[in-house]
Structure formats: C-alpha cells, structure tokens
Amino acid sequence: MKFSEAWLREWIDPGVDTETLARRLTMAGLEVDAVEPVSGVVSDVVVAEVVATAPHPDAERLRVCQVDDGTQRVQVVCGAENVRVGIKVPLVRPGAQLPDGTLIQAAQIRGQGSAGMLAAASELGFEDAIDGLWEFPLDAPAGVPLSDYLGLDDTVIEVDLTPNRADCLSILGLAREVGLITDQPFKGPDPVCVEVSSTVRPDVQVDDWQACPRFLARSLSAIDLPNAVTPIWIRERLRRSGFRSIDPVVDVTNYVMLELGQPMHAYDADQVSGALRVRRARAQEQLRTLDGKALELDSSVLVIADNECALGMAGVMGGANSGVGANTRNLVLECAHFIPEVVAGRARRFGLQSEAAHRFERGVDPELPRRALERATELLVQLVGGTVGPIVEVSDPQGLPSPTRIPLRIERIRRLLGLPGLEASFVRGLLQRMGAAVDDTAGSTWAVTPPTHRFDLAIEEDLVEEVGRLYGYDQIPVSLPAGPLRPPVTSETLRSTRALRDLLVATGYQEAITYSFVDPVVEQALGGPAPLQLQNPMSADMSVMRTTLWSGLLPAVSYNLNRQQPRVRLFETGLRFLPLGDGLRQEPVIAGAATGSRWPEGWTDAAEGVDFFDAKGDVERLLRGTGEFDAFRFVAGVHPALHPGQTAQVLREDESVGWLGALHPKLAASWEIDQPVFLFELAVEPLLRARVPSHQPLGRFPSVRRDLAFLVDVDLPYDRLREAVEEGAGPLLEQLSVFDLYQGEGIDPKRKSIALGLTLRDRSRTLVDSEVQAAVDQVVALVQDRCAATLR
C-alpha cells in the first residue's frame, strides 16, 4: 500500500524522521518497499492566472497569453488546446529545469517573446499522458509556489503488508500501528453525523446473511455533480496513494476507503429498480462491470441486485448499468460487511482489478461501515450538495464476527520470547494500547479479547508474537538454545533425497525449483492423467496441479536456450499430484532434463552432443546407489511425451520406477527447441531402499578375460544377451562389459555386432584353460540358442 507521509502525520506525530519511521515500520513487520519524494517538480513553478489570449500572428496553433504570476504580468506563448482566459495553471519561470532535464529559458517563438512555459501535469512529473494544461481550481491563489500549493514537501511510503494485516490498508490502521510502535497517541478526523434533511429511504434486502451479515445504505438526493470539482487536496492524496481522480463521487468513496479502510459503493438511484438486494447470482446471469467487462456469473458469486438484474459483484466491483455519471442527480450510498470467503478469488477469477476486493478478501473491521458512511456523506455534501436521507441498516448479529477470548499466560510469553524479566504490567499496557480487553481474574492466565479490527489474533501464540513484535525483535537478546542434542537414528537401508540431489549436482546438473501450479496446455501436451483443476488459480497458465515435473522443467529449458545458454542440465525433486479415485495421490519424484554438448566447452574435448545413453548413464548412477543395481531393468516403452524408439521404462523387478527418453519432436517444436532434449523422471521411494553393503575380499588368484563378438538382430535388447551370458558363465563370471557396437559395411543391415568382454575368476584357485573354455562354450551355446546370434 502507498500512502502520503504528510497525511499520516496529520493523524499522528511519531516524533521521528522519515528514515527512522520506515525502519521501525519494517522492524514491526510492515515491510517498507520504497520511500520516494512526491514529485520531481523543481522550484520556480508558481500558480498563475491566464488573463488574456490572442492568436499568434505567425503560427496557427499557438496563442500569445498574458499571464498574472502574482507579482507581474508576463507574456507566454502556448500551444495547448485548453488555454483560455480565467484558468489557473502552473507557470514554469525562466531558469527552471523540468524533471526530464529540459531547461526553460526566456525565448522568442516565431517572433513573439515567451517568458516561461505553461505546463501540463505530465511535464511536471505528475501524470503519464499529456492532455492539455494542468488546470487548478479557480480559487487557487496566483503567485503561490506550486510546492506550497500542492504540499509537495512530502514523501510517499510504500508498505508491503502480509495478508493477515489488512487492518493496515488505511491511514487509520497505519496511524494506529505507528502509535503502538512509537507509544504516541493518534487522532483522525472527528466523526460527524450529517443532519438528515430528507425522508427518502432506500429499500434494502439481504438474502444471504452468512455472506453479508451487515448492510447499510443511504440516499442523497438532488446533488449537483456537473458543477462539482474534487478539491486538489483529495486529488493529491489519491494520486500519492496510486489512485486516479475520476469524479467527486468516486473520489470520495476511494478517499474514505484509503482513510478508514472500508470499501463502499455509490449507485445512480434513478437507475435502480426497486430494492437493493444482496443475493447469490443466478446461473449464467450477466453483468457488465464499470471497467467494461461482460461477465457470466454463477451461484458462487454474491451480487448486489435490484428487482430486475445484478447491479454489481459484492465486494469487488459495481456494474455499468447503475454507475454514477455526469447526469446523475440522486445517489444511493452502500456500505457493507462481507465475509472474506465470499469475496476471495472472485476478482482474479474474472480478471478484475479491485482495491475493494483486495481488502474484503483479507478482512475488514465489521464495525467500520456506519463510520465510513457518515464520513463519505460529510464529504459529498460539501462537494455535490443535496439532501441527506437516514441510514438504513440491516444486520444479523449472529453472523457478525464475535470477539474471541484468548487465554494468555505471562510465563509462556517469557519462555517463548526468551525474556525471563518481562514485566506483566508492560505486557498488559501493550495489549490495552492495541485496543484489547485484558481480564486477569483467573490469576496467572489472562483472558484477552482483541479489538474487532484485529481478526488475525485467534490463539495464544498470536498474542505472544504480537508482544514480541511490539517489544521489538531487535531488542530481544540473542541466546543459544540449551538442551541435550541426540543424533538422529537412521537405517543403513535407507538413502536420503539429499544424496540423490548431491549425486546429480556432482554429475553436472543444476537444481531447479518450479511451481506446482502449471499450465493445463503443457500438462495436456505431456500426455499425463487429467490434472486437478484449482478452484482459485493465480492465473490461467497456473490453473492445474502438475502430474509430472517435466511441466516445469521443459519451460525452464526453453527459457535458458532462448537466452544463449546452449548447454542445459536441470533437475528437480518435488511432488507430483496424481488423481486417485475421488482423491489425490502426492508422490515424491526426481526428474531431470539435459540438452546441448556432452562436455563443457574446452580444447581437449570434441563438441559432441548429449545422447540417450548419456542420460541413461546419469539415471544408472542414481540406481547404483541402492546397492541393488541388478534389480533394475530398462525396457523399451511408449510415452506420449517421448520420442518413439528412444524411450525406456525403468523397472525395479516388476515395479515401475519411471521413464527415460528423448523429448518428442512435436513437443520440442512447440517450445521452439531446435536441439535434442533428454528427460528422465523417477519415483523417489524405490531409489531410497538400499542394500546394506557387505565386504568382499580382493581375489588372490588371477582372472582370465575372453572377448566374444556376436551378430544379433538390430532390435535385440542388450538385457536378453546379458542374461544368457550370465547364466552360461555361471559363478565364474566376475565382470561383463560391452566394448564395441558396430553396424555398417560387411554386416547384414538387419544385424549388429556386439563385442563383450568376460572376466572370469575363481576365488579359491587358479582356473585352468579347460574350465575357461567350457564356460565360454556354454555362453556361446546359450547366446546362439536364446538370441538367434552367431559368433563373429
């Protein structure tokens, strides 16, 4: 939230400078994001009155103006379309420098002298669009420096509030908070009850008391909106808070919202047919909002309606059919308390930007509506006149938030905050200054009732936190915890997820963290099960829960490739969310993506691209850590996101562990990826089950190696060949390796040559040639029989 420091200081004098105030707000949990001067306006800019104008003799679009700057008349040449006699505008005197660096000098413009410049608001750093001269009210005194007239000796402070502190989304709330942290009293404008001068009473009905337990309305009749102008002091306070001035009625409702924190709305009474009614929207009910959007509503949306149609979305935005316009003569002011659940998410769901929803979905003090309605009436009567009707209030006391009595123990505060000497009287004083009622009749346990604006205080720990915050986190002494520390007992048969992460980092991967909320288009493209739809998504491209980590990794790979990072290795550990009947299964997985060159750029290595077997080797490193690598198998499979012919399913015995393969070319094209990308995703739980390693002594007797080359069908999996070799060699086989794979000239195109190295050893004696040859013959026989192989 942005606010004017000068406005805040009208409510409270904290007794500190701006820098100290910002620091103390931050230390109290209201983080200050920015502290900026109100404007870059320079000196030598004054309010001036245009007293005469004449066409420029040599320029059709220019006018020669006589301007009273409070001390003398000066001549200024101006090309603004709205320049005319009698208006009050800013005059930039010669020698002044504009915020964009332009130096203003007395000059001759087409033969006519110009002693300065009449300026638009944007030229002085106030607006984004140039729309003519900045016109001030006619009572603005000529000759007064602009900085004095607008109160520009001010600072805009922007506070980043946590969602639980909606009570600080107003000057009232901020002043209350500053008073607490500086121990200073605050005082806002005195509540004023405007004299009722009309008997016109709006008819009000509430159908859903649980959603709207309090609703107030009041009529203002015979207003003079066309001749009304929002005072410069209101417009400036709105501007400094990030609001644009629209018209006196809207400006007042926005001003009261900023001042007190209570959103409210004004209707054109002549456009309201019958009663104002709070109800649920009908199925497919239509509403056109004030910003021009056409919406189709449903029963989950609360609306304010009349006897014919919906007039606005409750707590979010009004409708165009009852909005206040230049021809409005009669108003109905509405001020209500909506529970947060009925407003939360509605603005985002329909793509609306609403300050009212920002407050209602976090919570608003239920005692504020009457005060806000009276304050708005007071200001509107001053600006647009009219006769005031009585306030009509309907409420359901049972539906309003009831005060919660929270038990609080002073000893628990001391123990949790590490302040054994904290005085009970100090804590009581803090709570009472906050507006809480403290009942200590129960002895060591107090009963604390928070004020209605602090709906975030519900349990004892909330109060302990509040005491620590107001005491000052930086004032709490630093102390180390004391107590026996026992190392955790871990089983040797369990690996940690961190070990998996460390292994991939050592392999050259970088860990990524992506959102669990993903784009449904991406999920559909990856071919997983139907994902869980979020009821209240942050945006359309984050509206479902991921069923695979690839939905976050692939956009990250594309993002890096598009930024001149041709070699990418990313992995992530996290949950995927899979449908399970009427529920959801949350499964921890580890996934990775690799693309680009095999090795980092260097003069010793050829620039070879990563391939399927590089990714397979990375996966094997994860599997070997279980100590039971032989229990895992890679089986050719089909996956909608992976390239046909370069896809493998990973199994642990008969249990599916995950997938490995190259990204499907169609998907690569959709992400504009023009180089191969290899992916893997493995369930974490099977990788954490490990075998306790056992010692095997080194062999004392020599080993024997025999190399065999077989011609086999090109489609034969290596696993079938390996199983035949291991069975044929029996217990003498110590190691089996593939050292050559050949296809090409001299070999049938439907065949391939695989060369195997067999290392044989007996741990109790030296093998003789006949034993070695017998084992080799048995291997050859089994391979020929089971794999249709021929010895090369």
Side-chain angles (χ1 to χ4, degrees):
M1 175 184 171
K2 290 183 177 180
F3 65 92
S4 160
E5 183 185 1
W7 191 6
L8 177 68
R9 288 181 182 271
E10 288 184 6
W11 288 60
I12 183 170
D13 179 12
V16 295
D17 59 16
T18 302
E19 182 180 355
T20 304
L21 175 63
R23 182 179 61 82
R24 297 196 65 175
L25 283 172
T26 298
M27 292 305 299
L30 310 182
E31 183 179 359
V32 174
D33 279 350
V35 178
E36 299 175 346
V38 165
S39 173
V41 173
V42 294
S43 57
D44 289 335
V45 180
V46 298
V47 177
E49 180 180 1
V50 178
V51 295
T53 67
H56 193 292
D58 297 321
E60 180 180 351
R61 296 187 178 182
L62 299 180
R63 298 189 69 81
V64 180
C65 305
Q66 302 300 317
V67 179
D68 180 5
D69 69 355
T71 58
Q72 60 180 339
R73 283 193 179 188
V74 296
Q75 178 172 295
V76 179
V77 177
C78 179
E81 293 183 359
N82 64 328
V83 63
R84 62 190 184 278
V85 174
I87 63 172
K88 301 287 183 68
V89 294
L91 169 65
V92 185
R93 287 172 168 165
Q97 189 175 22
L98 298 179
D100 64 0
T102 303
L103 182 64
I104 303 301
Q105 297 285 6
Q108 293 288 320
I109 301 179
R110 296 286 186 92
Q112 297 293 321
S114 182
M117 167 185 168
L118 303 183
S122 58
E123 293 170 319
L124 298 176
F126 285 89
E127 302 287 346
D128 293 331
I130 297 177
D131 52 2
L133 296 180
W134 190 2
E135 296 188 37
F136 298 137
L138 297 180
D139 60 357
V144 173
L146 188 65
S147 59
D148 293 344
Y149 178 63
L150 297 180
L152 297 180
D153 185 17
D154 189 10
T155 301
V156 173
I157 300 176
E158 184 173 1
V159 178
D160 185 11
L161 297 172
T162 52
N164 66 311
R165 293 309 307 272
D167 62 297
C168 291
L169 286 169
S170 65
I171 296 297
L172 169 64
L174 288 167
R176 190 163 45 210
E177 192 70 13
V178 171
L180 278 172
I181 61 180
T182 60
D183 197 15
Q184 297 293 331
F186 77 93
K187 183 178 184 300
D190 294 327
V192 174
C193 294
V194 178
E195 182 180 355
V196 175
S197 54
S198 168
T199 59
V200 179
R201 299 168 58 93
D203 189 7
V204 174
Q205 299 176 14
V206 175
D207 292 352
D208 192 337
W209 289 108
Q210 291 184 338
C212 177
R214 174 166 284 160
F215 191 91
L216 290 79
R218 158 176 273 174
S219 295
L220 267 73
S221 306
I223 67 171
D224 184 15
L225 188 56
N227 296 317
V229 177
T230 303
I232 193 72
W233 61 273
I234 290 183
R235 284 158 48 192
E236 272 299 291
R237 287 179 173 180
L238 290 175
R239 182 186 69 83
R240 296 173 197 186
S241 299
F243 285 70
R244 181 171 57 91
S245 176
I246 298 175
D247 63 53
V249 174
V250 176
D251 291 348
V252 164
T253 58
N254 284 336
Y255 182 84
V256 172
M257 179 176 66
L258 286 171
E259 184 178 72
L260 301 179
Q262 172 67 51
M264 57 193 310
H265 189 66
Y267 301 89
D268 186 332
D270 297 326
Q271 304 300 320
V272 177
S273 175
L276 278 182
R277 182 180 174 190
V278 183
R279 60 170 173 81
R280 293 284 177 169
R282 304 184 182 99
Q284 298 181 337
E285 186 167 10
Q286 304 297 311
L287 173 67
R288 183 171 292 277
T289 58
L290 287 170
D291 61 358
K293 291 186 177 180
L295 309 179
E296 183 175 286
L297 310 179
D298 56 40
S299 60
S300 68
V301 178
L302 191 72
V303 298
I304 311 296
D306 61 10
N307 292 345
E308 297 180 355
C309 62
L311 303 178
M313 192 182 302
V316 179
M317 187 175 292
N321 55 341
S322 61
V324 176
N327 297 322
T328 300
R329 294 295 176 268
N330 302 293
L331 294 177
V332 174
L333 290 178
E334 166 249 303
C335 198
H337 178 73
F338 302 109
I339 64 170
E341 291 80 4
V342 80
V343 179
R346 303 308 188 273
R348 288 190 297 275
R349 173 183 167 190
F350 292 100
L352 302 175
Q353 298 291 331
S354 170
E355 289 288 336
H358 183 71
R359 287 161 173 79
F360 274 128
E361 64 187 6
R362 287 160 174 77
V364 176
D365 185 354
E367 301 301 323
L368 268 179
R370 179 172 288 272
R371 179 179 177 182
L373 192 55
E374 291 283 14
R375 175 63 168 156
T377 305
E378 174 193 5
L379 294 173
L380 284 172
V381 169
Q382 295 174 12
L383 300 186
V384 299
T387 57
V388 179
I391 293 178
V392 177
E393 177 178 354
V394 292
S395 63
D396 176 21
Q398 301 299 322
L400 289 169
S402 57
T404 302
R405 289 170 61 88
I406 305 172
L408 178 65
R409 294 161 289 178
I410 186 64
E411 286 302 323
R412 183 163 177 79
I413 299 176
R414 292 167 178 161
R415 182 168 61 84
L416 290 180
L417 296 182
L419 296 170
L422 189 64
E423 295 290 339
S425 59
F426 175 78
V427 174
R428 174 193 287 274
L430 281 182
L431 296 174
Q432 290 177 337
R433 283 197 293 117
M434 186 180 67
V438 181
D439 181 3
D440 59 355
T441 56
S444 60
T445 301
W446 297 347
V448 179
T449 304
T452 56
H453 62 271
R454 290 305 303 273
F455 31 79
D456 60 311
L457 303 178
I459 59 177
E460 185 178 30
E461 285 71 16
D462 293 335
L463 295 176
V464 174
E465 178 188 11
E466 194 69 9
V467 171
R469 187 178 68 85
L470 297 177
Y471 181 87
Y473 294 133
D474 54 341
Q475 301 299 317
I476 297 176
V478 177
S479 59
L480 295 175
L485 298 178
R486 297 182 179 89
V489 178
T490 57
S491 171
E492 292 184 78
T493 62
L494 290 178
R495 303 167 74 195
S496 67
T497 304
R498 177 164 185 171
L500 304 180
R501 298 203 309 264
D502 291 345
L503 183 59
L504 286 177
V505 169
T507 307
Y509 285 77
Q510 292 181 313
E511 185 169 12
I513 299 176
T514 64
Y515 286 105
S516 299
F517 311 139
V518 296
D519 191 337
V521 176
V522 175
E523 276 289 323
Q524 183 179 10
L526 293 174
L532 174 69
Q533 295 279 343
L534 297 176
Q535 293 184 355
N536 182 25
M538 293 188 291
S539 61
D541 60 353
M542 301 180 73
S543 59
V544 299
M545 301 296 291
R546 66 187 179 193
T547 62
T548 170
L549 269 59
W550 292 345
S551 56
L553 286 177
L554 281 172
V557 170
S558 175
Y559 184 91
N560 280 273
L561 292 176
N562 292 335
R563 282 154 182 80
Q564 293 79 49
Q565 299 296 318
R567 185 177 187 271
V568 181
R569 300 286 192 284
L570 295 176
F571 81 93
E572 181 176 9
T573 58
L575 296 176
R576 63 183 176 190
F577 304 86
L578 303 175
L580 181 64
D582 295 333
L584 194 70
R585 185 172 86 251
Q586 302 182 48
E587 183 179 12
V589 291
I590 184 167
T595 186
S597 60
R598 177 172 291 147
W599 306 107
E601 185 177 12
W603 65 274
T604 60
D605 298 307
E608 297 178 350
V610 65
D611 61 19
F612 176 88
F613 295 102
D614 292 309
K616 182 172 180 285
D618 296 337
V619 171
E620 287 179 346
R621 290 184 182 89
L622 294 173
L623 305 182
R624 289 184 185 280
T626 64
E628 294 183 331
F629 179 70
D630 292 342
F632 293 91
R633 293 183 295 129
F634 293 86
V635 179
V638 177
H639 191 288
L642 300 178
H643 193 301
Q646 296 191 57
T647 302
Q649 187 176 17
V650 184
L651 303 176
R652 179 167 185 164
E653 297 175 347
D654 293 328
E655 176 189 7
S656 178
V657 175
W659 291 88
L660 161 70
L663 178 65
H664 198 288
K666 290 184 178 179
L667 292 181
S670 68
W671 272 292
E672 298 182 352
I673 298 175
D674 58 0
Q675 61 190 57
V677 178
F678 296 92
L679 306 169
F680 65 84
E681 183 173 64
L682 307 171
V684 167
E685 193 275 332
L687 304 183
L688 301 184
R689 303 197 305 264
R691 184 179 62 190
V692 177
S694 59
H695 171 68
Q696 293 292 334
L698 294 176
R700 296 170 53 200
F701 300 95
S703 63
V704 177
R705 173 166 171 140
R706 292 290 184 269
D707 294 340
L708 301 173
F710 294 99
L711 290 174
V712 297
D713 290 341
V714 293
D715 296 330
L716 181 75
Y718 169 70
D719 277 351
R720 286 180 56 189
L721 190 62
R722 176 181 58 82
E723 290 171 359
V725 171
E726 289 177 346
E727 183 177 343
L732 296 181
L733 183 64
E734 183 178 70
Q735 183 177 351
L736 175 64
S737 61
V738 178
F739 65 86
D740 186 47
L741 176 65
Y742 175 73
Q743 288 177 269
E745 185 177 354
I747 294 180
D748 185 338
K750 297 181 180 180
R751 307 278 277 178
K752 61 184 176 183
S753 171
I754 299 181
L756 305 176
L758 285 69
T759 302
L760 307 173
R761 187 199 303 267
D762 190 312
R763 293 186 173 273
S764 63
R765 58 189 177 81
T766 301
L767 291 173
V768 297
D769 289 344
S770 60
E771 293 174 310
V772 173
Q773 189 59 44
V776 170
D777 291 343
Q778 190 170 350
V779 167
V780 171
L782 278 176
V783 171
Q784 289 175 338
D785 180 55
R786 295 185 181 180
C787 303
T790 57
L791 190 63
R792 196 175 168 202

